Amino acid sequence: MKLIFLGPPGAGKGTQAAVISKRFGIAHISTGDILRENVSKKTDLGIQAQKYMEAGQLVPDDVIVAMVESRLQEKDCQEGFILDGFPRTVVQAEALDKLLEKLDIELDGIIYFDVPDEVVVKRLSGRRICKSCGAIYNIHSQPPKKDGVCDLCGGELYQRSDDEESVVMNRLKVYKELTAPLISYYEKSDKFIKVDASRDSSVVVEAIVEAVRK
Ligand code: AP5
């Protein structure tokens, strides 16, 4: 199963990718997670990316495309993968088309997470993430059993710095300007699947799996 997850910040891409990648034994490639790991390790890539991420801007296309090109050739992608948060500009989508052709990979679905702005803003304000295992929670909709503690590994939960309200507004603006045009880029493909992602998580996951199976 080879999928692209496309949608606004806070749409639930990471939440659903974690469930589906585990269920089908495929790789979850989150460009945001790869960048955050590089920021925390203070690598050259992380130092370069940090200022864009903190401002809610996109990291330059050439940096991201090179990162994905190398990740897609790792062994765990052979059985399948979910690209979560990539592509995010038309330039990235065109580069991905070329890359898939070069690597002889055919996509099974481009899943568009359709969610209104007000839902996204509420979800992001309540998001908490485990520092140790990366599990995603929400204080409104998916709270941990114990405040601030991960149910799965007991790790400490934190709030992403780019989930601060003013940065969220900028991320939404950037999404509309640069990423939303990808809906028309992919809409004409028979692999394009629009999912109402404002519903409960368990409903959304089954809707995605069912649509891809069909
Ligand atoms: P990235 O990490 O990719 O952030 P994003 O796309 O803005 O997406 P999010 O992770 O915020 O949201 P999500 O859709 O995964 O939602 P989640 O499942 O967590 O990127 C961060 C930054 O990195 C970018 O701003 C940019 O600077 C850079 N970057 C990354 N990729 C790039 C690229 N390709 N090019 C250039 N720059 C790039 O869910 C959100 C919350 O909602 C959670 O609390 C969750 O529990 C809750 N929730 C989820 N689903 C539901 C549901 N159905 N019902 C109720 N609550 C739900």
Side-chain angles (χ1 to χ4, degrees):
M1 201 188 258
K2 298 175 180 95
L3 305 172
I4 290 177
F5 280 7
L6 169 69
K13 305 181 295 296
T15 301
Q16 302 302 346
V19 177
I20 293 175
S21 63
K22 196 170 167 199
R23 194 188 292 183
F24 293 95
I26 57 175
H28 173 194
I29 306 176
S30 158
T31 43
D33 285 349
I34 299 173
L35 291 168
R36 276 184 290 280
E37 198 184 332
N38 277 276
V39 169
S40 79
K41 289 183 177 158
K42 297 190 170 53
T43 64
D44 289 346
L45 169 61
I47 292 164
Q48 197 185 345
Q50 189 168 15
K51 59 179 184 294
Y52 297 101
M53 297 174 78
E54 282 176 353
Q57 299 292 344
L58 296 185
V59 174
D61 290 329
D62 54 339
V63 175
I64 297 288
V65 170
M67 196 174 93
V68 173
E69 175 161 14
S70 126
R71 181 66 185 89
L72 273 179
Q73 292 176 75
E74 286 178 33
K75 203 163 172 255
D76 66 330
C77 293
Q78 281 173 6
E79 294 304 312
F81 55 80
I82 297 171
L83 283 169
D84 163 12
F86 177 90
R88 233 167 163 116
T89 62
V90 171
V91 171
Q92 290 181 17
E94 289 169 348
L96 178 64
D97 286 346
K98 285 193 193 130
L99 184 57
L100 293 176
E101 202 183 325
K102 185 171 113 186
L103 301 175
D104 198 19
I105 294 172
E106 200 180 330
L107 288 174
D108 297 303
I110 298 129
I111 317 295
Y112 165 50
F113 286 62
D114 186 26
V115 196
D117 286 2
E118 60 276 17
V119 174
V120 157
V121 171
K122 182 161 187 221
R123 283 186 185 173
L124 290 178
S125 71
R127 174 163 60 187
R128 301 291 182 273
I129 300 169
C130 175
K131 267 188 185 166
S132 309
C133 73
I136 305 170
Y137 296 87
N138 195 287
I139 56 169
H140 310 297
S141 57
Q142 291 153 11
K145 291 193 186 94
K146 192 173 167 207
D147 231 17
V149 180
C150 178
D151 294 347
L152 302 178
C153 73
E156 186 190 340
L157 304 187
Y158 78 102
Q159 190 165 17
R160 259 170 58 177
S161 58
D162 63 349
D163 281 350
E164 200 244 305
E165 201 184 327
S166 62
V167 185
V168 166
M169 291 308 165
N170 201 33
R171 285 164 64 200
L172 269 175
K173 188 166 158 271
V174 168
Y175 170 78
K176 283 177 186 162
E177 276 170 20
L178 298 174
T179 309
L182 290 183
I183 299 167
S184 11
Y185 185 90
Y186 286 120
E187 221 166 18
K188 42 191 178 298
S189 158
D190 58 357
K191 310 267 171 71
F192 182 84
I193 299 163
K194 179 172 164 177
V195 172
D196 174 3
S198 62
R199 296 169 293 173
D200 189 81
S201 247
S202 55
V203 177
V204 176
V205 75
E206 297 313 326
I208 295 171
V209 171
E210 182 57 23
V212 175
R213 278 215 173 107
K214 268 191 197 154

